[in-house]
Amino acid sequence: MKRFRLLASIFSVLITAIGSGAFAQSEIKVEKIKVSPLIQIFTPVLIDSANVEKKTFEQKELLKTIVNFEEAFRSKKILTADTAGIFAMSSVSDTSLSSRNKAIQLLSFNIEADRYCKATLSVTSTDLFEIYVNNKLEKTKDTKEDSLSKSKAITVDLTLEPRQYKIFIKRLTGAKTAGEPMVKISVTPSKKDSLAQLTVSTDAPRRTTIHDMLEGSRLSNNSGISSSGNYFLSGFINTFPGGKGNASIELRETQTNKTIYRFSSDMNPRWVYGKDQLTYSRAGATNQDIYLLDLATAEEKKVAEQIKFNSYNFSPDNRFLIIQVREEIPADKGDLKRVLSPSDRAGSYRGRNSVYLYDFETKTEQRITFGRTNTFVYDIRFDSKKALFAVSEENITARPFTKRTLYELDLITLAVDTLFSDPFINNAQYSPDGTQLLIRGSGEAFGGVGLNIKAGQISNTYDYQAFIVDLKTKAIQPITKDFNPSISDAQWSVYDKQIYFTAEDKDRVQIYVYNTQTGTFKKLNLAEDMIRGFNPADKAPVATYQGEGTNNGYRLYRYDLKTGKSTLLADPLKKQTDELALSQVSDWNFTAADGTSIEGRYYLPYGFDPAKKYPLIVYYYGGTSPTSRVFESSYPLQVYAALGYVVYTLQPSGTTGFGQEFAARHVNAWGEKTAEEIILGTQLFCKEHNFVDSRKIGCIGASYGGFMTQFLQTKTDIFAAAVSHAGISNITSYWGEGYWGYAYSGAASANSYPWNNPQLYTQQSPLFNADKIQTPLLLLHGTVDTNVPIGESIQMFNALRILGKTVEFITVDGENHGISAYQKRIDWNKTIYAWFAKWLKDQPEWWDALYPEK
């Protein structure tokens, strides 16, 4: 039997190799390189015969000359080797000013591997040189010969992942001598990696990598436009290789896009209502000083000194500040702690917000709320006479486990009017005339007046709706009752009196304008699929917004509300994305068994050839939000495609942004309908796309998606490999042990508990069906995950090991629900890539290198 399995394995590898066009490679001669102009340098003036370290000067010291690699290659000159693979190089001209003249020249080319493998780079030259791999110095040759035959090859051992590696050779040359400088370069894969396909190029587009998700210049969320629309803010975050970086916020003119001033990010500049003025803070002697910058006069004024705050807002008339201050319930002394509530396990539970008012004229600060209950200011009325604030209290005996009361505060008399007490309200703002309120909340708000679900369903509380309330009559309009997108943010424009909604619209985030006179919605025709930070000016028909797509990072735009035209203001990631061979992304939908149209999209692999067969990776939502059309992600679909996979992602039942009824399918289901749709969609996708190898399908999900990964394996054997990050294996233990397990279950398991619905908590838990799992499963988990405790993966790992199943369990030390530390995130992603390579490509080398047998 073992012999039969070995022969079958060998046959499978051969078939895979033939199908992919793989063939054994030996030495690969580099035939073209990119060369920089000669960069003239000088032998230093020798003041003394030795330096402070008592060393004499040698020519090899000139190799340490610092050269900007990118600047050196502006010429784009390509040099071709002769038939023997030898490059004839330039030297400093005989007409040089001095015999002391030398020159540095950079030679460059790229190496790309289709899999994890090892290879040897060999460089032979008559000159002194250094070899750099991805900007890291690897080897130095510090001798010079007069012929190539006398020169010894310098070799660098390469460990290659499926990505592009940039090779730089930094050579030192001088005045012409008897022999012309020559270079010979080759790359040779190791014998055991002879099936690896290595390619050498000069300027070919490269594969997208995890580094493209982590490094480079990006827009931050710090943006906004001045009242007149003449100025805007734009925040930037720069992350360098290694993880270090910096952040800044630029003030620019809207028409010219000219930068006027640059703030440090900790100043957090924001626009003041109604004026072209900015407010920001700086650290004072003990607390913070608050400033106001008037752009018309360029005058900076300190308006408040030594203020303690967590957040603050200027009143619209600029007479006072509303300040929110966080105060803490005293911690228990000693090593024993009394747990006050299920949420007290989280570090933020004992924090309480209180509200203060700071008067600019009198320079007085007074408390306007007092107590142990959380208080949040939502909005200040445009005449600055009243404010909306909410009090949030825990109500652990009924979902959603929080009681919220909305109040209106008279800022002159401090008289309080109770407006609503409703646990499903989470935000409120005034209309421009102050007669109405725009309230965001779940469908169950206001007694369910805005619900649009089937009989027997319970609303998904993460599917947010909008309501307009008349302050005088208390009449409620559920304006999004028949509007399918889920509301994530709103701006009631002072300029045109319309409401601009940021809405989760299927797998996009779009901006809809609500006409308050006609009661109709209209989608704005913006330049991107994913919109954030839509900011209309107070007194002009202009706005700014940021947008991202599947093939680009966030860009910043100016939007003309009258013409509907978007103008690009900033695209900081463009230089990086222009280098990439990005995947083609196409929509693909199917009809589920109940007739529902299930939407999705797919990514074609790097170097796609429709005549070949490719493995497939299937990705699905975690929590309940759709898998958005983003380029940057913790689970970067463009990177999976760059590794040679077809990637299919779908939006099965329970996803928000497709209407209340569709989202409500998430509640009390725990995969029941969703799994069927994922399995059917995967099968139909393979059937309709003959370039997919249906024997090599992988799946991946995180959090609730990690639960879905595990649950799917109890229902089907169509997957050849599966990855569950921070996945839930036992709904009961997750409900009780996660910091917010009971709260999330208030949405996903509404009104169902282990004592009144044990069927749901056990039969839908993958752990209770572990014996049905046949798929090789990778479990990944942060060791300090407070959302889904690591015990969820421990339980499944123990079960599958006892059952003799194929399972691996990798923990990420010190990481919570998401992996955020720079190097840990890289290593975590490579673990995923190596797992899929092992099971979907029959390439175990990467996994074995990361996790060798012990």
Side-chain angles (χ1 to χ4, degrees):
M1 181 61 73
K2 288 184 178 179
R3 183 183 177 189
F4 174 78
R5 288 177 179 171
L6 177 62
L7 289 172
S9 176
I10 294 171
F11 180 74
S12 176
V13 171
L14 288 173
I15 292 297
T16 302
I18 294 169
S20 64
F23 55 90
Q25 287 185 313
S26 54
E27 182 185 43
I28 304 165
K29 293 180 180 179
V30 177
E31 297 177 346
K32 290 181 182 292
I33 56 174
K34 191 159 60 168
V35 296
S36 75
L38 290 171
I39 304 165
Q40 186 169 272
I41 60 175
F42 300 94
T43 302
V45 177
L46 301 179
I47 304 299
D48 296 301
S49 60
N51 65 6
V52 293
E53 296 176 344
K54 297 183 178 180
K55 293 181 179 179
T56 58
F57 177 78
E58 297 181 65
Q59 290 294 312
K60 64 182 181 181
E61 291 294 319
L62 295 175
L63 265 180
K64 297 179 181 179
T65 303
I66 297 173
V67 177
N68 185 304
F69 287 179
E70 289 190 15
E71 286 295 318
F73 281 103
R74 284 188 172 182
S75 67
K76 304 291 184 182
K77 181 180 178 181
I78 302 296
L79 191 64
T80 302
D82 63 18
T83 55
I86 297 173
F87 297 94
M89 308 306 300
S90 302
S91 61
V92 176
S93 170
D94 287 334
T95 61
S96 298
L97 297 176
S98 168
S99 61
R100 291 171 42 237
N101 286 10
K102 300 288 183 183
I104 290 287
Q105 187 175 41
L106 296 177
L107 322 178
S108 177
F109 61 95
N110 307 316
I111 301 174
E112 188 170 287
D114 70 334
R115 67 190 71 194
Y116 180 92
C117 64
K118 295 182 183 297
T120 300
L121 169 66
S122 176
V123 180
T124 307
S125 175
T126 54
D127 285 324
L128 285 68
F129 63 84
E130 294 175 334
I131 302 174
Y132 292 79
V133 179
N134 285 351
N135 296 327
K136 180 184 176 184
L137 177 62
E138 295 290 347
K139 285 285 185 73
T140 300
K141 175 178 177 283
D142 57 9
T143 61
K144 180 175 176 59
E145 296 79 31
D146 58 11
S147 69
L148 205 60
S149 61
K150 297 178 181 179
S151 302
K152 182 180 178 181
I154 302 298
T155 61
V156 176
D157 292 330
L158 302 174
T159 297
L160 303 176
E161 297 169 2
R163 56 172 295 191
Q164 188 182 91
Y165 291 81
K166 188 168 286 292
I167 310 299
F168 286 102
I169 300 170
K170 179 180 167 188
R171 61 180 283 261
L172 176 68
T173 188
K176 286 187 177 181
T177 57
E180 284 293 323
M182 291 182 287
V183 176
K184 186 176 182 179
I185 310 167
S186 66
V187 184
T188 307
S190 67
K191 289 183 179 180
K192 71 172 187 175
D193 292 322
S194 61
L195 287 178
Q197 298 299 293
L198 306 183
T199 56
V200 176
S201 63
T202 51
D203 272 323
R206 61 178 178 82
R207 297 175 191 250
T208 311
T209 73
I210 183 58
H211 294 273
D212 294 306
M213 303 295 120
L214 302 178
E215 299 163 8
S217 179
R218 286 167 167 77
L219 291 171
S220 70
N221 275 316
N222 299 89
S223 62
I225 194 165
S226 69
S227 182
S228 68
N230 293 331
Y231 307 94
F232 69 94
L233 291 172
S234 179
F236 296 90
I237 299 174
N238 296 297
T239 307
F240 309 116
K244 292 184 179 181
N246 57 47
S248 64
I249 302 171
E250 294 183 0
L251 171 63
R252 296 184 179 185
E253 289 180 338
T254 307
Q255 289 302 318
T256 66
N257 205 13
K258 179 182 177 182
T259 299
I260 301 173
Y261 189 78
R262 185 173 287 111
F263 299 89
S264 63
S265 59
D266 59 353
M267 294 171 69
N268 191 25
R270 290 172 291 147
W271 294 108
V272 172
Y273 167 75
K275 296 181 173 64
D276 283 357
Q277 294 180 339
L278 283 168
T279 178
Y280 45 88
S281 63
R282 292 193 183 101
T286 56
N287 287 304
Q288 295 284 311
D289 298 333
I290 298 176
Y291 292 83
L292 198 63
L293 175 64
D294 191 314
L295 298 186
T297 62
E299 178 187 4
E300 181 187 68
K301 181 180 179 183
K302 186 189 295 185
V303 295
E305 196 168 10
Q306 299 305 302
I307 301 295
K308 180 182 179 181
F309 64 86
N310 289 92
S311 65
Y312 69 90
N313 292 94
F314 267 72
S315 64
D317 62 5
N318 285 12
R319 290 189 302 106
F320 58 86
L321 294 177
I322 294 292
I323 299 169
Q324 294 194 127
V325 178
R326 179 184 172 88
E327 299 161 330
E328 294 284 337
I329 296 174
D332 296 312
K333 296 180 180 180
D335 295 328
L336 303 183
K337 174 186 175 182
R338 179 190 177 198
V339 179
L340 302 179
S341 99
S343 296
D344 192 23
R345 297 168 58 221
S348 60
Y349 172 77
R350 298 195 180 201
R352 298 292 188 268
N353 281 322
S354 292
V355 181
Y356 292 74
L357 186 148
Y358 181 89
D359 187 281
F360 290 135
E361 183 178 354
T362 64
K363 304 295 181 183
T364 58
E365 180 181 339
Q366 61 175 310
R367 178 190 284 271
I368 59 176
T369 68
F370 178 83
R372 289 169 59 91
T373 306
N374 260 326
T375 307
F376 303 93
V377 176
Y378 281 154
D379 197 15
I380 304 173
R381 205 166 72 180
F382 289 96
D383 62 5
S384 301
K385 293 181 179 179
K386 292 191 176 183
L388 296 172
F389 74 94
V391 169
S392 179
E393 304 173 80
E394 187 175 63
N395 182 24
I396 199 63
T397 60
R399 60 177 289 273
F401 310 115
T402 300
K403 178 183 177 182
R404 186 159 293 178
T405 304
L406 181 63
Y407 298 95
E408 186 174 48
L409 173 68
D410 190 308
L411 293 171
I412 308 300
T413 66
L414 294 192
V416 175
D417 182 18
T418 303
L419 299 178
F420 302 101
S421 184
D422 193 317
F424 295 101
I425 290 174
N426 55 34
N427 198 274
Q429 61 180 280
Y430 284 105
S431 62
D433 63 6
T435 64
Q436 296 174 303
L437 299 181
L438 173 63
I439 293 179
R440 191 183 76 146
S442 300
E444 293 174 77
F446 303 111
V449 66
L451 286 176
N452 187 2
I453 56 179
K454 291 180 179 179
Q457 284 187 315
I458 298 176
S459 173
N460 184 334
T461 54
Y462 296 114
D463 188 50
Y464 295 114
Q465 307 299 311
F467 308 83
I468 291 179
V469 178
D470 187 287
L471 276 170
K472 185 176 181 179
T473 67
K474 299 297 191 294
I476 300 166
Q477 300 178 56
I479 60 174
T480 57
K481 182 174 182 177
D482 299 310
F483 180 68
N484 283 339
S486 175
I487 303 301
S488 54
D489 196 12
Q491 299 278 346
W492 202 326
S493 170
V494 180
Y495 176 77
D496 61 12
K497 310 302 186 290
Q498 308 305 308
I499 303 173
Y500 291 87
F501 285 108
T502 303
E504 198 175 65
D505 186 9
K506 298 182 178 179
D507 63 350
R508 294 170 168 85
V509 174
Q510 296 292 293
I511 303 299
Y512 284 83
V513 58
Y514 178 75
N515 188 311
T516 54
Q517 300 301 313
T518 64
T520 56
F521 287 90
K522 178 186 176 182
K523 184 169 73 172
L524 299 186
N525 184 24
L526 302 182
E528 303 284 353
D529 287 330
M530 304 296 298
I531 308 299
R532 72 180 183 191
F534 185 87
N535 295 290
D538 298 328
K539 297 181 179 180
V542 63
T544 57
Y545 69 89
Q546 294 184 18
E548 183 183 20
T550 58
N551 287 19
N552 60 273
Y554 274 105
R555 299 162 171 160
L556 181 65
Y557 294 87
R558 179 177 71 248
Y559 181 72
D560 190 309
L561 295 177
K562 289 186 175 180
T563 66
K565 180 182 177 181
S566 293
T567 302
L568 182 65
L569 297 172
D571 183 7
L573 203 61
K574 184 179 188 303
K575 181 179 179 181
Q576 198 163 319
T577 53
D578 282 351
E579 299 174 354
L580 306 177
L582 292 168
S583 171
Q584 177 183 327
V585 183
S586 304
D587 293 339
W588 186 81
N589 309 328
F590 71 94
T591 302
D594 64 356
T596 303
S597 177
I598 303 298
E599 298 192 7
R601 64 184 185 276
Y602 65 94
Y603 298 66
L604 292 176
Y606 175 80
F608 175 67
D609 180 347
K612 293 182 179 180
K613 291 281 189 180
Y614 294 91
L616 172 69
I617 293 176
V618 181
Y619 177 66
Y620 28 78
Y621 71 74
T624 187
S625 295
T627 59
S628 303
R629 304 177 79 91
V630 294
F631 171 71
E632 302 172 51
S633 168
S634 296
Y635 307 91
L637 305 191
Q638 282 283 0
V639 177
Y640 299 159
L643 290 168
Y645 301 97
V646 177
V647 182
Y648 169 48
T649 183
L650 67 162
Q651 320 296 343
S653 287
T655 317
T656 54
F658 289 79
Q660 292 189 56
E661 188 279 326
F662 195 85
R665 299 179 188 181
H666 182 74
V667 184
N668 284 316
W670 284 96
E672 187 173 7
K673 192 177 188 66
T674 306
E676 295 173 3
E677 292 171 354
I678 293 173
I679 293 168
L680 177 61
T682 301
Q683 291 171 328
L684 292 176
F685 184 85
C686 292
K687 185 177 180 180
E688 291 191 18
H689 300 90
N690 57 12
F691 50 78
V692 174
D693 185 347
S694 60
R695 304 167 305 154
K696 297 293 185 181
I697 308 173
C699 60
I700 182 171
S703 193
Y704 187 91
F707 158 82
M708 280 306 309
T709 289
Q710 297 179 37
F711 185 74
L712 281 166
Q713 310 323 308
T714 71
K715 297 292 183 181
T716 183
D717 61 358
I718 66 171
F719 298 106
V723 177
S724 167
H725 173 73
I728 301 160
S729 67
N730 182 350
I731 305 171
T732 304
S733 56
Y734 163 71
W735 169 85
E737 293 181 14
Y739 279 14
W740 303 278
Y742 74 95
Y744 176 76
S745 297
S749 317
N751 300 323
S752 292
Y753 300 96
W755 54 87
N756 69 5
N757 193 354
Q759 179 82 8
L760 173 70
Y761 280 81
T762 56
Q763 293 309 303
Q764 295 302 115
S765 291
L767 182 66
F768 287 82
N769 297 278
D771 58 319
K772 301 181 179 71
I773 296 178
Q774 304 298 327
T775 307
L777 176 62
L778 172 63
L779 301 166
L780 297 161
H781 225 117
T783 59
V784 293
D785 193 332
T786 55
N787 189 339
V788 178
I790 193 171
E792 294 302 308
S793 287
I794 292 172
Q795 292 180 93
M796 181 56 76
F797 177 70
N798 291 349
L800 294 179
R801 275 298 172 93
I802 290 170
L803 288 164
K805 306 298 178 103
T806 302
V807 61
E808 292 284 355
F809 180 28
I810 305 297
T811 65
V812 190
D813 188 54
E815 291 295 297
N816 204 306
H817 198 51
I819 310 302
S820 58
Y822 173 87
Q823 190 57 50
K824 292 176 185 177
R825 189 170 167 188
I826 291 173
D827 295 340
W828 167 71
N829 269 278
K830 289 181 180 179
T831 297
I832 296 170
Y833 309 156
W835 182 255
F836 281 140
K838 176 176 180 176
W839 295 104
L840 303 186
K841 292 186 173 183
D842 298 313
Q843 297 170 10
E845 294 83 4
W846 201 351
W847 180 267
D848 293 342
L850 292 176
Y851 304 103
E853 290 297 328
K854 295 182 179 179

